[in-house]
Each structure stands twice: as structure tokens, then as C-alpha cells.
Amino acid sequence: MQRSRPEKMLEAMSELTTIEVADPVPLAGALFEQCFGSPMPDFPRHFILQARLAESAPLSLGYVHFTKVDNFYLGGGMCIDTRAFRKLPRSARTQLARRGGAAFSMLSAAVARLDDCDAVFGYVGNRLAYRIDLAAGFEQTRYKHLIVYWKTPLDAAERVRIVEAANRCGPF
């Protein structure tokens, strides 16, 4: 039995991976500018979700960055390239959706790699992004848009101190 083209492409898909890069502009600069109307920030850390399909260059599906402040990170700039996503075979998109979607997969992998901190913060106003962040393990703080992912066990006083420090950073 001969396989259909999408099935062959899914077989050829070797991996979906989140990579950290020093210079994200060649891979996701246009996406960031399209989503936010400004150039990509030049401070680290930059993560890109890529799909590697056989016989073609890796496809950048999403981007997110994190900035270290004291003993925590501020996350932002998360965006998904829906045009690139549509280039995946339908079965691969379905498979990715079963894993929680592109944003969830990328965010979860990136946060897991931030191993030199006590917490990771997000400042979220978008309802869909908020749901994705909660599913990835973030928690709401006492501040409306500020969410946190605790990386290390801390006592209540230290958690309050870190949340207050992140809140003083303002929207990020």
C-alpha cells in the first residue's frame, strides 16, 4: 500500500525541538517584528521552537526570550508563526496539538532549561497565553498580570520577596 504525501512527511519529520540560540534574528526576527512591531531584544536568553523535516531547512515555529534579574527570569516575546505551522503536514499539527500545542511545547522546554534561578515570571494579558502558561506550571501572583513558575522550593517570605522584586520591574 502506498502512503499519502502527508503520511510520508510525518514519517520524515525527525523531531520537534526547542533550541537556545545566541542570535535569534536570522531564525525568528521577522516573526517577532510582525507580532510586536519592533525589533527583537538583544539580551539573552532566546529560544526557538523548530520542526525538522527531511530534505528541507528547519522550520521556526515560535520564539520566546528570558531576561535574568537577580535570581529570577522575566519571560516575554512569545510568538508563534502560524504560517510556518501550516506548512507542517496535518497529521504533524494534530500530533503537536495533542502535546499541548506549539506555545506550550516551546514554553515548557525553555523553562526547563532555565536551571540557574529560583523562579521564572511572565507578564500576561492575553487569555489564551494565560491558559497556556498555567498549563505549563505557572501560578497567578497577587498582581493581575504577573505569573510565576517556581524552580526551587522557597519559604513564604522569600517567595513574597521575589514576587515583589519581579513586580517592581513593571510590564515586561
Side-chain angles (χ1 to χ4, degrees):
M1 179 169 105
Q2 189 162 8
R3 296 181 190 258
S4 69
R5 182 162 168 71
E7 286 177 286
K8 285 181 182 179
M9 286 181 71
L10 181 58
E11 279 182 0
M13 178 184 254
S14 60
E15 65 184 281
L16 191 71
T17 186
T18 299
I19 61 170
E20 183 172 6
V21 296
D23 181 10
V25 174
L27 298 172
L31 170 62
F32 189 90
E33 285 196 36
Q34 177 188 348
C35 291
F36 295 103
S38 63
M40 193 174 268
D42 63 355
F43 43 82
R45 295 174 67 178
H46 305 275
F47 295 89
I48 296 173
L49 176 66
Q50 286 191 328
R52 295 188 181 275
L53 302 173
E55 300 177 22
S56 67
L59 206 58
S60 294
L61 300 175
Y63 169 81
V64 65
H65 70 261
F66 297 89
T67 306
K68 191 159 189 195
V69 177
D70 297 326
N71 60 336
F72 58 87
Y73 280 96
L74 304 174
M78 186 163 59
C79 45
I80 300 298
D81 188 340
T82 56
R83 288 179 296 194
F85 188 75
R86 285 192 296 266
K87 291 179 183 178
L88 294 175
R90 179 182 223 159
S91 53
R93 293 191 309 263
T94 300
Q95 182 182 43
L96 184 57
R98 286 185 191 134
R99 290 193 214 165
F104 174 84
S105 295
M106 178 179 61
L107 181 63
S108 297
V111 168
R113 291 190 187 149
L114 300 173
D115 58 2
D116 60 342
C117 64
D118 291 327
V120 179
F121 288 90
Y123 191 88
V124 183
N126 178 285
R127 289 166 83 82
L128 177 58
Y130 180 76
R131 285 196 306 263
I132 291 166
D133 291 346
L134 292 181
F138 282 79
E139 304 170 11
Q140 182 63 52
T141 68
R142 68 185 191 108
Y143 298 102
K144 184 176 181 179
H145 298 289
L146 189 64
I147 58 174
V148 61
Y149 184 102
W150 296 108
K151 297 286 288 184
T152 59
L154 302 168
D155 65 39
E158 183 62 8
R159 283 182 172 217
V160 168
R161 186 194 70 72
I162 292 173
V163 168
E164 293 303 319
N167 186 58
R168 284 191 296 276
C169 294
F172 48 90

